[in-house]
Amino acid sequence: MERKIRPDTAKIIGKSSRFWIICAILIIGILCSTVLGAWAHGKIQKTSGQLGKLNPQLEQIKMDYQMAQQNLEELENVVNSSQEYQQKMQEIQQQFYQLIPQIDQKAQENPNVKVAYLTFDDGPSGTYTPQFLEVLKEHHILATFFVVGNQVEQHPEIVQQIQQQGHTIANHSYSHDFNKVYSNPTAFINDIEQANNAIEQACGQRAKIIRFPGGSATAKGQFPAIKELLNQKGYTYVDWNASCGDGRSGYTGDQLYQNTVNSIHGNNRVTILMHDRSQATLDALPKIISYLEENQYLILPLTPDQQMVQQKK
Ligand SMILES: [Zn+2]
């Protein structure tokens, strides 16, 4: 049987339950906002704490950055002044090089003017050439290096070192293979050009002075045709009129030194053949330099515009 509720009672019950529901919602709302507020407050405090810690780091980074920028500017200044220095050095070197043909001319006219050209063939050698460069540097001597193209490709950094020290880089063929270079004049000139490509690749300059593998006499009957081709290409060639004799192995440093002194034979203008490829020659070098200096020789690098010592003309 359906229980009847009086309409007034129903109204009162309806009103009071709505009241309690609203109260509950309000309480939950207040609780939630308090909890959320506390959480958010904690979060903000934590973040600002982290920011507080970050700030000194950011300051440090900013200072480091400013410092780096300052250093970079200083470095740029140094680089610029070093470029200026290098340019100045190159100018001085060029002026010096321009004087060499005149000095050489004087030596041809006056036997009291003595000049010596140290020439090193068949390098660069990874083992020996840097040591030869060191000895030359210690004695403030400039020389001429007749490099072989296939060696240049193996040690381009040594060719750069030779250039940086101010020595003359000259061309001694690419293959140094007698059968190949003396098979015909075109083969000879092609081999020379190939070596020059390797030299240019290594240090950015082409050599104007060449030395025939074995010397110009080795070209025999082909010499006139080769000489013609060399002239066409703007090359000049040089042989030697003194030698330490290290083309043959088995000599000690002292013997090579003695060979050199004997072969100079009082000549006031000497182009000395050596090879930067052995310990014995390395041992002989300081003694040869001392001998030349004690005997008032000016030791100079070869320059393309001077008159060269040539066995075959
Ligand atoms: Zn050679």
Side-chain angles (χ1 to χ4, degrees):
M1 192 176 90
E2 195 180 323
R3 199 178 154 201
K4 280 207 172 165
I5 298 169
R6 283 174 58 193
D8 286 354
T9 316
K11 218 171 174 179
I12 289 162
I13 291 171
K15 269 187 183 172
S16 97
S17 68
R18 233 179 291 155
F19 169 78
W20 287 116
I21 288 166
I22 289 165
C23 281
I25 289 169
L26 277 172
I27 290 163
I28 290 166
I30 290 162
L31 275 173
C32 282
S33 67
T34 311
V35 170
L36 271 172
W39 177 80
H41 182 70
K43 191 83 183 163
I44 288 163
Q45 269 197 330
K46 200 176 169 191
T47 310
S48 68
Q50 281 171 345
L51 273 176
K53 271 187 214 161
L54 263 179
N55 269 344
Q57 286 176 17
L58 283 171
E59 277 304 309
Q60 189 60 46
I61 289 167
K62 215 166 111 182
M63 273 166 62
D64 288 349
Y65 175 70
Q66 280 170 349
M67 188 93 86
Q69 264 191 330
Q70 219 168 13
N71 286 346
L72 198 67
E73 276 167 28
E74 278 170 23
L75 203 65
E76 273 171 7
N77 289 340
V78 170
V79 167
N80 287 341
S81 65
S82 126
Q83 276 170 350
E84 272 173 38
Y85 170 77
Q86 279 177 2
Q87 211 174 345
K88 195 81 204 154
M89 286 304 288
Q90 273 174 357
E91 280 170 25
I92 293 168
Q93 197 180 331
Q94 270 169 2
Q95 285 167 3
F96 170 65
Y97 268 56
Q98 280 163 6
L99 283 176
I100 294 173
Q102 295 171 36
I103 299 169
D104 191 82
Q105 187 61 39
K106 286 266 179 292
Q108 290 175 56
E109 293 160 4
N110 183 349
N112 293 324
V113 178
K114 295 173 165 184
V115 287
Y117 303 97
L118 298 179
T119 66
F120 299 98
D121 285 16
D122 297 0
S125 144
T127 311
Y128 294 108
T129 307
Q131 298 184 68
F132 277 78
L133 287 171
E134 202 50 49
V135 173
L136 293 170
K137 199 172 167 183
E138 273 169 29
H139 290 82
H140 309 287
I141 299 286
L142 292 178
T144 307
F145 286 82
F146 287 87
V147 294
V148 173
N150 60 37
Q151 297 285 113
V152 168
E153 285 176 348
Q154 284 177 46
H155 306 289
E157 73 291 348
I158 299 177
V159 178
Q160 288 158 19
Q161 212 182 330
I162 295 171
Q163 183 192 44
Q164 278 158 12
Q165 284 193 24
H167 304 290
T168 296
I169 297 170
N171 184 329
H172 194 38
S173 84
Y174 180 84
S175 65
H176 204 280
D177 178 346
F178 286 22
N179 289 332
K180 192 179 171 194
V181 296
Y182 297 119
S183 60
N184 63 70
T186 309
F188 182 93
I189 204 77
N190 286 346
D191 210 78
I192 291 291
E193 293 280 72
Q194 194 182 352
N196 241 353
N197 292 342
I199 293 168
E200 189 174 21
Q201 186 81 23
C203 70
Q205 72 172 67
R206 293 179 79 80
K208 290 183 181 162
I209 306 171
I210 74 128
R211 178 172 276 160
F212 288 67
S216 60
T218 320
K220 296 178 185 159
Q222 290 177 38
F223 177 78
I226 290 175
K227 194 187 171 193
E228 182 59 34
L229 287 173
L230 289 174
N231 286 343
Q232 281 173 20
K233 298 271 183 186
Y235 290 113
T236 181
Y237 74 94
V238 62
D239 288 305
W240 58 91
N241 60 354
S243 167
C244 70
D246 62 354
R248 265 181 53 196
S249 57
Y251 285 120
T252 64
D254 281 344
Q255 285 168 328
L256 293 179
Y257 161 73
Q258 204 50 56
N259 290 345
T260 309
V261 173
N262 294 344
S263 71
I264 288 172
H265 202 62
N267 194 341
N268 74 315
R269 186 171 165 262
V270 284
T271 300
I272 304 170
L273 172 66
M274 306 169 91
H275 297 80
D276 48 333
R277 297 194 62 81
S278 78
Q279 186 60 47
T281 311
L282 186 61
D283 293 341
L285 183 59
K287 293 184 77 178
I288 293 169
I289 291 171
S290 297
Y291 170 84
L292 292 168
E293 287 182 335
E294 280 161 18
N295 287 277
Q296 283 80 47
Y297 280 88
L298 271 173
I299 305 175
L300 299 169
L302 287 166
T303 54
D305 298 327
Q306 72 190 80
Q307 202 172 331
M308 300 290 182
V309 164
Q310 295 171 336
Q311 291 160 1
K312 242 175 135 77
K313 301 207 181 211

